[in-house]
């Protein structure tokens, strides 16, 4: 990064003199163009599907309206905007919208603090951020703006919710939930980070028993997992994070029988909770002959039955529970020091009738698998540790293939072995045994093969005000009743007192709560929970395609044209939350017949963070750089171009103000160069181009005398090729900007010849016109001004992206490195199309090479045409 800054053009006295003469003044140019753009709503508007152009949907993640853009936003939007502009110039019908993820807690906190209603606070923040975006010159189609806190949007959240209730995809149940005391609301599992709240990094999340609404995302667990394989345009790290989060594991559920109740009739199997069996989950059923105890989570239903008549045990279990709770709160459940207590009860292994003690242990989780495991100390590290500590037997049942006896190798956890001490299954490989044992369990009705997922259903109830009201009614006679579609939206009441004293603030608004039951007409009460704000962002990008539709969330035909999104751009911190939820939502909408695509976005790009002095920008670190400040000092074009130039977009960017200043000076050079020679360029319009119209027979340029022109055009067309290629895939915009800098250096280096009129006006026109086109995705204001200066009409966005002429871009000569025994000795200049023989001869004729090989034998010459010559010498 250091070297890139150093590579900036050097600022000379001559530059300074020129600058005074032709000053680049972004503060004058930029607002002027912003006004013109604002007066032309068609400029950035998407066209209807009938326009006949190929479509391109480029989208940056919508911001939360905090009231202030930060540099991370500027970077995110600069990447998207550059891409959108490039695609417009490539002739695409581009959809490039923007909106606001406008529900959420900060609005309520602000209301508590300043006594401003959340709606007012949010809308004024939106207005402020919109002004900032306009001041940055970002090319959004504001006609499609989406604001999620407005009834015209959230009514469709409610509509979707009702469809999901009808499909059994939204349901209500009592369960242990994550509770952030600071937020005074429930959090989804995805919003708990290392045991703490994602919004309050120091606040430990508590577990509470509450009746909550859930979305059945687990119904799509397998499809969400399988779909990742097809998302080749997504970063591998995001796909891996989602795979791990979904957490599929294959295994077996097996019933151990309770010793006391054997023979009294087994009843029906039911999630391992009945009084005669304990259902355990294991990924290694092949080791079941080595099970020497069964271990239960402290919350297991059976434990309650045991402790009811055993106060001593009850006390010990309470202790285990406390230990688990503490570890969970500290976020290090995996590291918990393992404790357990024997219950005094026994279970029977269904495969061999072995009687094993039942224990309760603090490291067994109620919400993983069945909340019960079999402990196999011979073949599991954790079980081994536990058995050693408490003196439980350790039995070998899997033996490495080469070994014949002895147990000193235990625990042996690999599946590369054969079964021993396992009765009729002895000698089987682990995988064969797993299959066979599963078959036996299924046949004998004491178990089955299962797949479990780490992914849990999405808890969407929030006990907060500033969110979408859940459109359900509680009637004493009818139970849960849906709000009829024609009564949507259920509006958020406007006048409301926000407090943080338990329960939803909506519950304290009688006018909201008390309703007439749509079914029986009797008095009933509205649901007072609101929806998680991740509901809003799960489908907002569909709404952009048809943002003013009052009869449906969107028109399916229009969505069919625009989806999937061609390029989605945002931060990697959304990998688990938003990016899983929105994939789920798309699949639900597909199954409702609203869309035909399986996935929302074909390609995803996650940009790096903007840091300063090695730290993430934050108020507490005092290292926040304000976009407004940068724009005021250097202009929007410089701030945007710098944010693309200073690092590859997928890496972190260390913000350096002298870097912005350097980019601003570079733009000033472009400005001076172009304005100075614009009259020559304009004169060149319509004149014949010496390297276009009068080619020699072999396709080579006819006029070989003007070496400067040719050199500049070569550089120009090489730059076009490079930038075009980058936009098509690599996105190394930093090297794109660097390439334009080199081009400008080269043109400036020919200033004497340009001034002397040695470069033909049509060539000057091509050079300057193309330079402006290449800069158009990065510095739109400067470019608009220069485009006009060159006498071009209309918007530069409607001008075709320049094509590289391979003939002109071709190098005449190349420098090829020569190595002797792998060490670089020299470089030789050869014709760019020199064959291996010519290259070898050139290398051997080189003075330095001759000096090194004198008196020695050249054993071998390796030639890679255009790249390398290596001599093997003895
Ligand atoms: Zn919180
Ligand atoms: Zn009713």
């Amino acid at each position: 990064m250091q070297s890139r800054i150093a590579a900036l053009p050097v600022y000379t006295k001559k530059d300074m003199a020129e600058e005074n003469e032709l000053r680049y003044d972004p503060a004058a140019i930029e607002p002027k163009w912003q006004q013109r753009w604002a007066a032309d709503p068609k400029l950035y508007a998407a066209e209807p599907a009938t326009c006949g152009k190929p479509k391109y949907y480029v989208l940056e993640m919508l911001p939360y309206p905090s009231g202030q853009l930060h540099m991370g936003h500027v970077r995110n939007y600069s990447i998207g905007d550059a891409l959108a502009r490039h695609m417009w110039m490539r002739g695409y019908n581009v959809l490039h919208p923007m909106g606001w993820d406008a529900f959420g807690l900060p609005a309520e906190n602000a209301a508590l603090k300043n006594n401003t209603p959340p709606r007012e606070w949010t809308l004024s923040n939106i207005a402020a951020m919109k002004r900032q975006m306009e001041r940055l010159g970002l090319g959004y189609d504001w006609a499609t703006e989406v604001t999620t806190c407005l009834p015209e949007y959230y009514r469709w959240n409610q509509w979707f919710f009702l469809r999901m209730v009808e499909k059994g995809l939204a349901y209500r149940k009592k369960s242990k939930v994550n509770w952030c005391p600071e937020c005074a609301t429930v959090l989804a599992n995805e919003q708990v980070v290392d045991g703490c709240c994602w919004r309050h990094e120091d606040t430990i999340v508590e577990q509470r028993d509450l009746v909550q609404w859930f979305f059945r995302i687990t119904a799509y667990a397998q499809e969400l997992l399988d779909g990742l394989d097809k998302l080749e345009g997504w970063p591998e790290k995001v796909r891996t994070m989602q795979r791990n989060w979904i957490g599929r594991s294959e295994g077996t559920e097996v019933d151990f029988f309770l010793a006391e109740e054997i023979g009294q009739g087994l009843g029906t199997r039911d999630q391992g909770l009945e009084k005669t069996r304990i259902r355990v989950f294991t990924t290694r059923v092949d080791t079941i002959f080595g099970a020497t105890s069964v271990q239960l989570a402290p919350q297991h239903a059976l434990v309650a039955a045991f402790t009811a008549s055993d106060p001593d045990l009850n006390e010990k279990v309470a202790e285990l529970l406390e230990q688990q709770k503490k570890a969970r709160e500290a976020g290090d459940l995996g590291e918990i020091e393992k404790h357990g207590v024997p219950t005094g009860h026994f279970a029977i292994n269904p495969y061999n009738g072995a009687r094993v003690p039942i224990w309760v242990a603090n490291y067994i989780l109620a919400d993983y698998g069945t909340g019960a495991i079999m402990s196999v100390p011979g073949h599991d590290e954790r079980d081994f540790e536990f058995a050693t500590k408490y003196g439980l037997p350790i039995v070998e049942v899997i033996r490495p293939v080469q070994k014949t006896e002895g147990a000193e190798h235990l625990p042996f956890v690999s599946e590369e072995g054969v079964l021993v001490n396992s009765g009729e299954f002895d000698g089987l490989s682990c995988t064969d045994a797993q299959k066979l044992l599963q078959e036996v369990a299924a046949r004998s009705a004491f178990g089955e093969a299962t797949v479990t997922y780490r992914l849990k259903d999405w808890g969407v109830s929030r006990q907060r005000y500033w969110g979408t009201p859940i459109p359900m009614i509680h009637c004493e006679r009818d139970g849960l009743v849906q709000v009829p579609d024609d009564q949507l939206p259920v509006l958020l009441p406007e006048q409301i007192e926000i407090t943080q004293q338990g329960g939803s603030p909506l519950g304290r608004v009688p006018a909201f709560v008390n309703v007439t039951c749509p079914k029986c007409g009797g008095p009933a009460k509205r649901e007072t929970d609101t929806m998680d704000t991740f509901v809003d962002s799960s489908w907002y990008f569909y709404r952009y395609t048809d943002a003013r539709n009052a009869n449906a969330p969107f028109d399916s035909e229009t969505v069919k044209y625009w989806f999937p999104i061609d390029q989605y751009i945002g931060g990697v911190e959304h990998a688990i939350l938003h990016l899983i939820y929105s994939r789920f939502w798309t699949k639900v909408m597909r199954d409702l017949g609203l869309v035909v695509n399986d996935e929302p976005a074909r390609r995803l790009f996650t940009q790096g963070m903007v840091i300063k002095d090695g730290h993430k920008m934050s108020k507490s670190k005092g290292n926040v750089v304000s976009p407004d400040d940068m724009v005021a000092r250097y202009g929007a074009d410089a701030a945007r171009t710098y944010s693309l130039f200073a690092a590859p977009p997928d890496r972190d960017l260390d913000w350096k103000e002298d870097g912005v200043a350097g980019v601003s000076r570079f733009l000033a050079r472009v400005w001076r160069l172009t304005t100075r020679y614009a009259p020559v360029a304009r004169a060149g319009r319509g004149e014949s181009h010496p390297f276009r119209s009068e080619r020699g027979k072999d396709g080579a340029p006819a006029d070989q005398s003007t070496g400067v022109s040719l050199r500049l055009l070569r550089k120009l067309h090489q730059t076009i090729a490079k930038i075009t290629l980058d936009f098509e895939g690599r996105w190394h915009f930093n090297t794109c900007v660097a390439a334009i800098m080199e081009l400008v250096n080269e043109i400036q280096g020919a200033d004497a010849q340009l001034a002397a009129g040695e470069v033909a006006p049509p060539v000057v026109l091509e050079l300057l016109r193309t330079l402006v086109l290449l800069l158009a995705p990065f510095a739109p204001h400067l470019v608009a001004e220069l485009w006009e200066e060159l006498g071009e009409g209309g918007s530069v966005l409607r001008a075709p992206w320049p094509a590289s002429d391979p003939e002109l871009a071709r190098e005449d000569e190349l420098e090829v490195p020569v190595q002797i025994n792998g060490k670089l000795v020299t470089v030789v200049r050869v014709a760019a199309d020199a064959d291996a023989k010519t290259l070898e001869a050139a290398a051997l004729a080189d003075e330095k090479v001759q000096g090194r090989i004198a008196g020695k034998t050249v054993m071998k010459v390796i030639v890679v045409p255009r790249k390398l010559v290596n001599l093997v010498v003895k």
Side-chain angles (χ1 to χ4, degrees):
M1 222 165 293
Q2 217 50 10
S3 62
R4 220 167 282 121
I5 303 289
L8 279 168
V10 180
Y11 193 59
T12 63
K13 269 193 182 157
K14 187 163 160 264
D15 286 327
M16 221 182 297
E18 284 173 353
E19 193 166 318
N20 289 334
E21 177 193 328
L22 293 165
R23 208 166 76 85
Y24 164 56
D25 184 8
I29 298 171
E30 293 183 351
K32 175 182 112 184
W33 283 100
Q34 283 153 14
Q35 273 173 23
R36 286 212 211 167
W37 294 336
D40 179 8
K42 282 213 166 126
L43 183 63
Y44 300 124
E47 296 172 61
T50 49
C51 71
K53 297 175 184 172
K55 70 95 184 175
Y56 196 83
Y57 187 174
V58 51
L59 181 69
E60 298 109 66
M61 288 181 184
L62 87 177
Y64 176 77
S66 62
Q68 270 286 329
L69 289 186
H70 55 69
M71 276 301 170
H73 291 127
V74 174
R75 191 182 196 197
N76 184 193
Y77 308 152
S78 296
I79 295 169
D81 202 47
L83 183 62
R85 287 170 191 277
H86 176 78
M87 296 313 280
W88 266 308
M89 295 170 78
R90 295 282 288 265
Y92 283 81
N93 180 21
V94 177
L95 176 59
H96 188 217
M98 184 44 75
W100 312 97
D101 192 11
F103 272 138
L105 260 190
E108 283 179 65
N109 294 338
L112 277 170
K113 223 180 185 175
N114 319 322
N115 214 18
T116 324
R119 181 187 158 94
E120 207 173 284
W121 184 83
T122 305
L123 294 182
S124 83
N125 284 351
I126 288 175
M129 288 170 79
K130 198 167 165 180
R131 275 197 300 279
Q132 286 184 296
M133 287 182 179
E134 282 165 346
R135 185 58 190 86
L136 283 163
L138 298 165
Y140 295 125
D141 182 1
W142 288 110
T144 65
E145 180 178 2
V146 163
T147 305
T148 61
C149 68
L150 298 180
E152 67 195 53
Y153 182 79
Y154 72 68
R155 70 171 292 175
W156 301 112
N157 286 345
Q158 296 172 340
W159 186 86
F160 281 121
F161 190 96
L162 294 172
R163 302 294 83 80
M164 285 160 80
V165 169
E166 289 157 6
K167 286 242 167 196
L169 291 170
Y171 68 95
R172 202 163 173 265
K173 73 163 183 203
K174 184 171 182 178
S175 79
K176 286 238 180 296
V177 291
N178 312 298
W179 177 269
C180 172
E182 205 55 40
C183 292
T185 184
V186 165
L187 302 177
N189 288 346
E190 288 79 2
Q191 292 160 355
V192 179
V193 182
D194 295 333
C196 291
C197 172
W198 67 307
R199 283 284 176 247
H200 301 99
E201 288 173 22
D202 302 323
T203 305
I204 290 164
V205 171
E206 299 167 5
Q207 300 295 304
R208 287 198 182 179
D209 269 316
L210 283 174
V211 180
Q212 297 284 293
W213 286 96
F214 289 86
F215 284 153
R216 206 178 295 280
I217 192 170
T218 53
Y220 289 88
Q222 190 59 45
E223 204 197 331
L224 286 166
L225 185 67
D226 293 341
L228 292 170
D229 294 337
K230 290 178 230 148
L231 289 175
E232 282 160 9
W234 284 40
E236 190 48 51
K237 71 179 163 194
V238 172
R239 296 198 281 168
T240 303
M241 284 165 84
Q242 292 208 357
R243 274 191 201 103
N244 292 342
W245 186 258
I246 295 167
R248 179 193 158 102
S249 65
E250 287 177 23
T252 313
E253 285 185 8
V254 178
D255 293 333
F256 277 68
F257 304 119
L258 272 175
E260 297 99 300
E261 306 227 5
I262 291 290
Q264 294 179 15
L266 297 178
T268 53
R269 261 189 303 121
D270 179 23
Q271 299 173 334
L273 296 183
E274 61 171 290
K275 298 254 163 65
T276 55
R277 300 181 180 210
I278 305 172
R279 175 148 282 211
V280 305
F281 171 76
T282 174
T283 56
R284 290 294 305 275
V285 72
D286 52 312
T287 65
I288 197 162
F289 282 75
T292 58
S293 67
V294 162
Q295 311 230 338
L296 306 178
Q299 301 91 335
H300 197 280
L302 208 53
V303 176
F306 292 155
T307 54
S309 55
D310 188 343
D312 183 43
L313 181 65
N314 191 32
E315 201 173 298
K316 287 177 181 156
V317 167
E319 230 168 88
L320 297 173
L321 209 80
E322 189 58 31
Q323 290 156 1
Q324 185 177 98
K325 188 171 159 234
K326 276 206 182 116
R328 194 189 280 269
E329 286 170 354
D332 57 358
L333 259 177
E335 304 292 307
I336 190 170
E337 197 191 330
K338 294 165 192 63
H339 294 292
V341 294
T343 62
H345 298 267
F346 290 83
I348 307 291
N349 185 330
Y351 287 99
N352 60 359
R355 193 178 146 95
V356 297
I358 301 172
W359 283 61
V360 185
N362 64 356
Y363 67 97
I364 311 294
L365 304 179
D367 52 6
Y368 180 77
T370 58
I373 64 150
M374 61 178 197
S375 183
V376 185
H379 303 283
D380 181 281
E381 295 280 2
R382 203 174 55 171
D383 294 348
F384 185 83
E385 192 189 321
F386 192 89
T388 308
K389 178 171 175 177
Y390 289 104
L392 289 161
I394 299 168
V395 179
E396 183 199 28
V397 291
I398 309 290
R399 186 167 293 171
V401 182
Q402 288 88 356
K403 271 194 88 82
T404 48
E405 59 182 312
E408 71 280 3
H409 59 285
L410 296 181
F412 176 68
V413 300
S414 159
E415 291 187 38
E416 303 291 315
V418 292
L419 273 67
V420 294
N421 301 325
S422 299
E424 57 186 294
F425 303 97
D426 278 358
L428 287 174
S429 73
C430 294
T431 17
D432 286 348
Q434 284 168 14
K435 252 190 224 131
L436 202 55
L437 286 158
Q438 283 172 347
E439 281 169 24
V440 170
R443 211 180 315 128
S444 318
F446 61 73
E448 62 203 335
T450 59
V451 174
T452 59
Y453 298 90
R454 180 168 178 254
L455 184 74
K456 298 275 178 263
D457 280 341
W458 174 12
V460 293
S461 285
R462 295 292 178 274
Q463 292 70 44
R464 304 299 315 185
Y465 163 67
W466 195 232
T468 304
I470 290 176
M472 297 297 290
I473 290 167
H474 303 272
C475 170
E476 281 202 10
R477 196 175 317 172
D478 302 306
L480 275 170
V481 182
Q482 295 184 210
V483 172
D485 281 4
D486 61 9
Q487 288 176 27
L488 296 183
V490 176
L491 286 171
L492 264 183
E494 296 263 327
Q495 298 302 325
I496 181 160
E497 194 201 347
I498 311 253
T499 60
Q500 269 185 327
Q501 24 171 289
S504 169
L506 290 178
R508 294 187 290 274
V509 184
F512 176 84
V513 176
N514 298 317
V515 283
T516 307
C517 172
K519 246 189 197 162
C520 67
K525 297 205 182 300
R526 275 193 200 286
E527 171 65 60
T528 57
D529 282 354
T530 53
M531 295 183 207
D532 183 3
T533 60
F534 279 97
V535 170
D536 309 325
S537 53
S538 287
W539 68 281
Y540 75 103
F541 33 57
Y542 289 93
R543 183 72 179 171
Y544 282 141
T545 65
D546 193 15
R548 302 294 161 255
N549 195 329
N551 306 311
F554 47 75
D555 172 57
S556 291
E557 279 305 306
T558 309
V559 159
K560 193 172 168 188
Y561 171 74
W562 284 110
F563 272 79
I565 296 163
D566 295 280
Q567 183 67 62
Y568 197 18
I569 307 164
V572 73
E573 66 272 20
H574 298 287
I576 302 298
L577 295 150
H578 163 59
L579 290 170
I580 280 197
Y581 295 148
S582 55
R583 291 183 62 219
F584 159 67
W585 206 279
T586 289
K587 292 171 196 307
V588 171
M589 294 200 306
R590 180 202 57 202
D591 292 348
L592 289 168
L594 296 168
V595 305
V596 294
N597 50 301
D598 293 322
E599 296 284 350
R602 183 174 293 143
R603 286 171 57 91
L604 170 73
F605 186 85
T606 52
Q607 83 272 359
M609 280 198 306
V610 180
I611 57 177
K612 190 160 187 293
D613 312 324
H615 296 285
K616 190 179 169 181
M617 286 187 188
S618 76
K619 271 187 199 152
S620 59
K621 286 244 158 49
N623 62 349
V624 175
V625 178
S626 132
D628 287 347
D629 190 35
M630 285 295 120
V631 169
R633 254 192 278 174
Y634 302 102
D637 284 345
R640 292 175 52 162
T641 307
Y642 173 73
S643 78
L644 296 176
F645 167 66
D650 54 340
R651 306 276 182 76
D652 286 352
L653 183 166
D654 198 356
W655 192 272
K656 295 229 181 353
E657 188 164 339
D658 54 356
V660 194
V663 168
S664 162
R665 286 199 298 274
F666 159 68
L667 295 177
R669 296 182 97 174
V670 173
W671 164 264
R672 288 194 302 278
L673 179 71
T674 311
T675 47
R676 184 183 313 141
Y677 293 108
V680 182
R682 287 198 298 266
R685 183 166 290 112
E687 274 188 34
S688 76
H689 190 303
F691 302 103
R692 285 265 181 279
S693 48
E694 296 161 33
R695 294 219 159 174
K697 281 199 192 94
D698 55 355
D703 181 1
Q704 297 286 1
S705 61
T706 46
V708 181
S709 302
L710 200 55
R711 184 158 52 77
L712 294 178
L713 286 173
R714 175 176 303 134
K715 186 75 188 172
L716 180 74
H717 283 269
Q718 287 172 347
T719 311
I720 298 171
K722 185 192 157 19
I723 296 178
T724 307
L725 192 69
D726 254 305
F727 267 108
E728 281 165 4
R730 288 194 330 152
W731 283 27
H732 286 180
F733 299 134
N734 54 324
T735 60
C736 287
V737 176
I740 299 174
M741 287 175 172
E742 272 181 44
L743 172 67
V744 169
N745 279 352
E746 189 104 8
I747 300 174
Q748 279 204 317
D751 193 50
Q753 289 96 327
L754 281 164
E758 285 173 26
V759 182
V763 175
V764 176
L765 177 65
E766 182 181 354
L767 285 170
L768 296 183
R769 192 178 181 278
T770 312
L771 169 64
V772 166
L773 290 172
L774 292 177
L775 261 179
F778 308 108
H781 308 86
L782 171 67
V783 158
E785 185 76 13
L786 294 177
W787 190 243
E788 203 173 63
E789 187 72 24
L790 288 172
E792 298 282 352
S795 166
V796 72
L797 288 182
R798 305 291 177 256
W801 183 254
S804 172
D805 180 338
E807 201 60 46
L808 276 172
R810 198 169 56 89
E811 287 283 357
D812 279 357
E813 285 195 325
L814 278 176
E815 290 195 331
V816 177
V818 180
Q819 298 177 338
I820 292 180
N821 296 337
K823 276 199 175 154
L824 181 69
V825 173
T826 185
V827 293
V828 290
R829 282 200 77 83
V830 292
D833 55 1
D835 59 12
K837 237 184 176 161
T838 317
L839 204 49
E840 182 179 334
L844 290 170
D846 183 90
E847 245 176 58
K848 278 191 191 159
V849 172
Q850 290 206 333
R852 299 283 180 95
I853 62 176
K856 293 176 183 165
T857 316
V858 178
M859 309 294 292
K860 204 175 171 190
V861 184
I862 302 152
V863 181
V864 185
R866 298 180 62 90
K867 294 271 157 55
L868 178 78
V869 181
N870 186 18
L871 307 176
V872 182
V873 171
K874 252 194 178 168

